[in-house]
């Protein structure tokens, strides 16, 4: 990729952000985007924290079923 093309992309993004900043709807959209990102990070963190506990629970259940069925 050419440096000129990359810089054009950066300039286009900057222009878009400037136009969004000048428009109240753009500010609202950015705020909603940040809220959604925060919720996603919290959900991923919560699932990661609970993931280990549920894996142990399913492993215990599998062992119990194998013991009684096998």
């Amino acid at each position: 990729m050419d440096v000129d093309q990359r810089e054009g992309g950066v300039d286009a993004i900057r222009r878009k952000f400037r136009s969004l900043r000048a428009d109240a709807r753009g500010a609202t959209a950015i705020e909603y985007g940040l809220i959604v990102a925060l919720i996603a990070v919290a959900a991923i963190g919560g699932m990661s924290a609970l993931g280990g506990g549920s894996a142990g629970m399913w492993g215990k259940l599998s062992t119990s079923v194998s013991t009684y069925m096998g």
Side-chain angles (χ1 to χ4, degrees), residues 30-56:
I30 291 171
E31 289 167 358
Y32 282 132
L34 291 173
I35 291 169
V36 168
L38 181 62
I39 291 170
V41 167
I44 291 169
M47 285 184 246
S48 296
L50 296 175
S54 66

Side-chain angles (χ1 to χ4, degrees), residues 6 14-16 18 23 25-28 30 32 34-35 40 44 47 50-51 56-58 62 66 70:
R6 187 174 56 221
R14 286 181 183 157
R15 281 192 302 273
K16 184 65 175 175
R18 284 186 193 124
D23 186 6
R25 290 177 305 175
T28 303
I30 291 171
Y32 282 132
L34 291 173
I35 291 169
I44 291 169
M47 285 184 246
L50 296 175
M57 177 189 71
W58 291 114
S62 173
S66 294

Side-chain angles (χ1 to χ4, degrees), residues 60-70:
K60 185 177 176 182
L61 179 65
S62 173
T63 303
S64 297
V65 169
S66 294
T67 301
Y68 290 110
M69 298 297 279

Side-chain angles (χ1 to χ4, degrees), residues 1-18:
M1 180 184 300
D2 246 8
V3 174
D4 292 335
Q5 290 175 338
R6 187 174 56 221
E7 290 300 321
V10 171
D11 286 338
I13 293 170
R14 286 181 183 157
R15 281 192 302 273
K16 184 65 175 175
F17 278 137
R18 284 186 193 124

